[in-house]
Amino acid sequence: MKESNFKTYKIVTFGCQMNARDSEKLAGVLEEKGYIEIESEEDADIVIFNTCTVRENANQRLYGHIGQLKKSYLNNKNKIIGICGCMMQEKDEVEVIKNKYNHVRLIFGTHNIDEFGNLIDEVINSDDKVIRVYDESSNIEKSLPSKRVFKFKCGVNIMYGCNNFCTYCIVPYVRGRERSRSVDDIIEEIKADIRDGVIEVMLLGQNVNSYSGVASDKYSFANNEKVTFPELLEEVAKIEGLKRIRFMTSHPKDLSDELIRVIKSHDNICRHIHLPVQSGSDNILKAMNRRYDRKSYLQVIKKIRDNIDDVGITTDIIVGFPGETEKDFEDTLSLINEVLYDAVFTFEYSKRTGTKAAEMDNQVPEEIVKKRFKRLLDAVENCSGKNVEKYVGRVMEVLVEGEDKISGKLTGRLSNNYLVHFTGDKELIGQIVKVRLVRSCKFYFEGEL
Ligand code: 5AD
Ligand code: SF4
């Protein structure tokens, strides 16, 4: 083996919670090899970009970053610049990188993250590029060491991939079909995290409600061969020392009464449901292949609100899906006024090559999409804060997550995912404390310990 002097690394993560979790694993592997994390992409000996390709602008941002690193590579030819994640599952993008960005020396995909340690060794010992991208996963990813961003909370994958094929979405193509991890693996991982100081976990999957995993005899589930998501969630809720459980993402078509019952009956399951609606128009929902309509979505929302006190409900919305008319868009606006979400993540439709929607011939002109997007933001802004006056004056539990850089105050989250800012000692970071909510500021509360 060549002597290597590489000792520092930086991982740049784009995209969702799944990628954030994968990056913790990449960091874990590098730390085990003795590398130290630093902030600067220019100075680090190893820079890994964990990419997202859900929307076009994430791809553009990646190209910006790697273009800028060319100079630091030329100054240090031993520098390793690597790219992994969803974008690398697209053959065309890999070709662009190979042809235009010669300084990128390592490329791997979402299905071979567990080979990362070997890939790094390979690239250190080779003068060539190392490119390893599989089309499909042969098995469920192995457990990797991980370096958590927060000491007290972390994500836990419960399943990988997606079978839903929403017509706008590239995820099923780049992450493959659904694979659920076993109950035993999930529970063991969480117990190890707790021994390590974790008190909050976020169960992660593209569509957690379709979880369907096996369990060994030591668990006594109902007589079915496969364990459902509510069953898994209940088992996780019973783990000693686990103060908070979150999960993401739920698909409205699969959110069951049983899930609502389980949330309601365990105080450590957070009162927050992220339930992406995407559009308020039945025509568009059908064209998106979402497999629910406005009415059934609203029924699920009502059931959640009727059963779970103080629940926070958040959503994702896409504007400008092919064929979206002014009337369809107004249906989306009226839906957000009706539901009064606690937070809305808004996206302009982005055409992804390979998806069905990209082939549709009724694409909405960009200027219309931009105008609607602006109107959507205004509508979200108008609705925000309407749900929250009921909390003002109450004392609620906050998991303290850090310090707000500007005000120097502590910031933390309520069970329902609202942020709270309050004055307190830094020592409290990582603990659950009681805070009186004194003022609502739309997206967060000001409180006092
Ligand atoms: N264009 C715009 N937004 C998209 N999303 C997924 N695919 C696209 C796309 N092609 C959004 C959806 C999803 C969120 C994670 O990203 O709203 O819920
Ligand atoms: Fe994409 Fe739909 Fe799967 Fe979510 S459920 S990852 S939007 S295909």
Side-chain angles (χ1 to χ4, degrees):
M1 231 195 194
K2 258 192 252 172
E3 255 310 301
S4 88
N5 302 317
F6 310 139
K7 279 292 163 226
T8 57
Y9 75 93
K10 165 79 183 167
I11 296 174
V12 183
T13 310
F14 299 95
C16 66
Q17 309 270 358
M18 305 282 265
N19 265 17
R21 177 65 187 148
D22 284 347
S23 289
E24 292 188 342
K25 294 179 187 166
L26 299 174
V29 169
L30 291 174
E31 299 260 331
E32 254 195 0
K33 289 181 180 293
Y35 293 88
I36 299 162
E37 187 177 16
I38 60 169
E39 265 312 299
S40 154
E41 290 164 37
E42 270 75 26
D43 296 339
D45 298 308
I46 298 182
V47 186
I48 305 289
F49 293 96
N50 189 3
T51 60
C52 169
T53 188
V54 166
R55 288 169 294 273
E56 177 70 25
N57 51 6
N59 297 38
Q60 297 310 335
R61 275 172 62 207
L62 174 81
Y63 289 128
H65 275 262
I66 50 178
Q68 276 179 359
L69 282 188
K70 179 141 197 187
K71 203 162 144 214
S72 65
Y73 171 74
L74 293 175
N75 290 334
N76 168 13
K77 284 284 181 78
N78 287 327
K79 187 180 181 95
I80 295 174
I81 300 172
I83 313 183
C84 63
C86 294
M87 203 175 144
M88 294 303 99
Q89 292 298 135
E90 294 183 279
K91 293 196 171 66
D92 292 352
E93 299 291 351
V94 173
E95 283 308 306
V96 173
I97 306 271
K98 272 195 335 203
N99 297 332
K100 288 207 185 146
Y101 298 91
N102 211 11
H103 54 298
V104 173
R105 292 175 58 202
L106 170 64
I107 292 179
F108 58 103
T110 57
H111 300 301
N112 49 336
I113 238 185
D114 51 1
E115 278 182 272
F116 178 56
N118 294 340
L119 294 172
I120 281 287
D121 292 342
E122 229 176 278
V123 76
I124 289 174
N125 291 303
S126 152
D127 294 324
D128 287 338
K129 291 171 194 274
V130 174
I131 299 178
R132 200 76 47 79
V133 182
Y134 303 146
D135 284 342
E136 262 300 331
S137 242
S138 52
N139 55 4
I140 299 271
E141 285 76 354
K142 282 188 287 206
S143 257
L144 290 177
S146 71
K147 187 200 176 210
R148 289 193 303 271
V149 175
F150 295 94
K151 182 131 185 49
F152 51 88
K153 67 168 186 175
C154 67
V156 175
N157 297 108
I158 63 165
M159 58 190 299
Y160 302 95
C162 181
N163 290 353
N164 287 316
F165 289 93
C166 301
T167 53
Y168 50 82
C169 183
I170 199 151
V171 167
Y173 304 93
V174 295
R175 288 265 173 184
R177 294 294 68 69
E178 283 177 5
R179 283 112 44 215
S180 295
R181 287 178 76 197
S182 76
V183 173
D184 298 64
D185 279 0
I186 296 166
I187 302 272
E188 285 315 311
E189 183 173 315
I190 296 174
K191 284 184 176 165
D193 289 333
I194 293 172
R195 285 195 292 275
D196 233 25
V198 163
I199 59 171
E200 175 179 297
V201 294
M202 161 97 78
L203 306 179
L204 295 172
Q206 303 295 347
N207 175 13
V208 291
N209 299 97
S210 65
Y211 174 82
S212 163
V214 293
S216 69
D217 296 345
K218 75 178 184 211
Y219 298 99
S220 51
F221 290 106
N223 274 332
N224 43 4
E225 272 175 35
K226 291 289 181 75
V227 178
T228 64
F229 180 60
E231 285 173 324
L232 171 74
L233 185 61
E234 188 142 51
E235 202 60 39
V236 171
K238 288 188 220 152
I239 300 177
E240 208 168 306
L242 190 55
K243 302 269 174 51
R244 281 186 168 188
I245 304 146
R246 301 185 180 277
F247 55 88
M248 193 171 243
T249 298
S250 295
H251 194 301
K253 76 177 165 56
D254 297 321
L255 195 138
S256 63
D257 294 354
E258 181 57 6
L259 179 67
I260 294 175
R261 183 198 68 74
V262 170
I263 298 174
K264 198 174 157 176
S265 46
H266 293 272
D267 286 345
N268 58 352
I269 302 179
C270 288
R271 272 46 189 157
H272 173 217
I273 299 185
H274 183 62
L275 203 60
V277 65
Q278 315 297 3
S279 167
S281 147
D282 283 344
N283 291 336
I284 296 297
L285 288 173
K286 195 154 196 293
M288 286 176 163
N289 189 32
R290 290 292 287 176
R291 288 177 277 179
Y292 53 83
D293 57 16
R294 179 188 175 104
K295 191 167 160 222
S296 59
Y297 181 88
L298 289 172
Q299 278 164 352
V300 176
I301 296 284
K302 180 166 172 6
K303 230 187 273 176
I304 296 171
R305 287 233 166 97
D306 286 349
N307 282 285
I308 308 174
D309 292 341
D310 297 340
V311 66
I313 301 180
T314 57
T315 202
D316 294 341
I317 287 178
I318 298 175
V319 284
F321 182 84
E324 185 188 74
T325 61
E326 175 60 22
K327 165 83 176 64
D328 293 322
F329 175 65
E330 281 168 12
D331 286 347
T332 298
L333 295 182
S334 78
L335 182 110
I336 60 173
N337 282 311
E338 196 168 335
V339 177
L340 296 180
Y341 288 104
D342 296 283
V344 182
F345 300 88
T346 50
F347 307 105
E348 290 177 14
Y349 167 72
S350 172
K351 189 172 172 179
R352 307 317 286 133
T353 311
T355 62
K356 272 202 178 147
E359 304 297 314
M360 296 177 181
D361 51 18
N362 44 4
Q363 306 285 325
V364 180
E366 200 181 322
E367 20 357 309
I368 297 188
V369 179
K370 295 249 175 288
K371 278 193 192 141
R372 286 186 189 157
F373 186 70
K374 167 101 192 20
R375 286 164 66 198
L376 178 67
L377 290 183
D378 290 344
V380 170
E381 168 75 23
N382 268 334
C383 296
S384 67
K386 290 204 173 145
N387 264 343
V388 294
E389 282 308 318
K390 64 178 178 202
Y391 296 116
V392 174
R394 282 171 56 184
V395 175
M396 296 181 83
E397 288 192 338
V398 173
L399 169 57
V400 189
E401 299 197 338
E403 253 184 328
D404 181 52
K405 286 204 180 84
I406 302 166
S407 65
K409 288 188 175 180
L410 294 179
T411 69
R413 274 178 203 279
L414 300 176
S415 167
N416 63 16
N417 214 37
Y418 268 101
L419 274 172
V420 183
H421 295 200
F422 61 100
T423 305
D425 196 317
K426 265 205 294 210
E427 298 276 297
L428 295 175
I429 294 173
Q431 293 180 31
I432 293 179
V433 296
K434 293 201 163 144
V435 174
R436 183 181 304 281
L437 307 179
V438 288
R439 203 155 72 91
S440 135
C441 308
K442 284 196 171 180
F443 300 109
Y444 68 94
F445 290 95
E446 279 176 3
E448 31 182 64
L449 199 58

